[in-house]
Amino acid sequence: MAETAQEPTYKRVLLKISGEALMGPQGFGLHPPTVERIAEEVKSVHDMGVEICMVIGGGNIFRGLAGSAQGMERTTADYMGMLATVMNALAMQSSLEGLGVYTRVISAITMNEVAEPYIRRRAVRHLEKKRVCIFAGGTGNPYFTTDTAATLRANEMNCEAIFMGKNGVDGVYDSDPKTNPDAKRFEHVTYDEVLQKHLKVMDASAIALARDNHKPIIVFPLDEPNGFKGVLEGKGTYTVVRD
């Protein structure tokens, strides 16, 4: 007897990944096979009928906070980081469309030649038409991280959950599992516990925004085959952050 397809837990989600996730084994920039692998993960979820938004960081190309720490003016450094997210979004769009998934890159910084400007109602319509929306350029403002941008867009798009794809980590731990073999993984953790215990999920502004809007955050291993799809089917190992 054929196995019945599992109904996805959520119908509309936002996937947040770091720019570093696109580096693969390299120490910098984009690793095309890695971008392709992540695109295939996204396609597998898209094929389930789930509406998907994405936010990708820019740390593989330029990190604003690191630039300002080296003497660069913070606002300029942050804008450079935002432009890096546009480059990553275009790379992901290219891979997804190569797999037959219709995609829109939507930038908070106006650059009409390469991306659509952010207009909320238009972005919602793209989702309704089953296009993957990749939000680039952060919030369009300095001093805000792509974590905050992801939470903001998830709220604006009425996403049911925020998925945080991590490399080498299968959830939220009380300490770094890479350096502490006795680190304890949480199945569930509250927003307030994340803030009080300084758990490394998102920055404090993003966590507070998710908490105020009751938006669950699911931390899962991005480098595990079918990790993204597995969570939506209720399988695999992950941590849920919620009230």
Side-chain angles (χ1 to χ4, degrees), residues 6 8 55 67 79 98 111-112 114 131-133 141 154 169 176 198 214 231 238:
Q6 181 78 31
V55 170
Y79 277 121
M111 47 181 78
N112 291 330
V114 296
R131 296 166 182 158
V132 172
C133 290
N141 301 288
V169 182
D176 188 349
H198 303 287
H214 310 289
V231 175
Y238 52 89

Side-chain angles (χ1 to χ4, degrees), residues 4-48:
T4 305
Q6 181 78 31
E7 188 71 17
T9 313
Y10 301 104
K11 297 293 188 183
R12 180 181 292 177
V13 302
L14 184 138
L15 173 63
K16 166 64 171 67
I17 61 177
S18 67
E20 286 88 346
L22 306 184
M23 294 191 306
Q26 302 172 164
F28 179 82
L30 288 156
H31 183 240
T34 299
V35 177
E36 182 82 9
R37 181 187 61 78
I38 295 172
E40 288 170 353
E41 292 279 332
V42 173
K43 182 182 185 300
S44 71
V45 171
H46 183 265
D47 288 346
M48 298 169 71

Side-chain angles (χ1 to χ4, degrees), residues 16-160:
K16 166 64 171 67
I17 61 177
S18 67
E20 286 88 346
L22 306 184
M23 294 191 306
Q26 302 172 164
F28 179 82
L30 288 156
H31 183 240
T34 299
V35 177
E36 182 82 9
R37 181 187 61 78
I38 295 172
E40 288 170 353
E41 292 279 332
V42 173
K43 182 182 185 300
S44 71
V45 171
H46 183 265
D47 288 346
M48 298 169 71
V50 178
E51 296 171 1
I52 305 170
C53 308
M54 293 183 71
V55 170
I56 307 172
N60 57 319
I61 298 171
F62 189 86
R63 186 177 292 279
L65 200 57
S68 66
Q70 294 179 25
M72 187 177 291
E73 198 270 321
R74 173 65 188 270
T75 302
T76 299
D78 278 355
Y79 277 121
M80 290 173 67
M82 290 180 220
L83 294 176
T85 71
V86 177
M87 295 173 68
N88 285 339
L90 292 172
M92 183 58 63
Q93 179 185 43
S94 178
S95 284
L96 282 168
E97 294 198 335
L99 296 171
V101 179
Y102 290 109
T103 310
R104 294 290 185 273
V105 173
I106 301 170
S107 175
I109 299 173
T110 304
M111 47 181 78
N112 291 330
E113 288 77 10
V114 296
E116 289 187 8
Y118 177 69
I119 300 170
R120 190 188 70 84
R121 290 174 66 93
R122 183 188 291 177
V124 169
R125 187 67 180 135
H126 286 320
L127 288 175
E128 291 170 349
K129 290 183 176 181
K130 307 302 179 185
R131 296 166 182 158
V132 172
C133 290
I134 308 176
F135 295 109
T139 65
N141 301 288
Y143 295 94
F144 290 94
T145 66
T146 50
D147 283 350
T148 303
T151 310
L152 175 65
R153 297 294 183 237
N155 285 313
E156 290 179 306
M157 296 296 108
N158 293 318
C159 292
E160 296 170 309

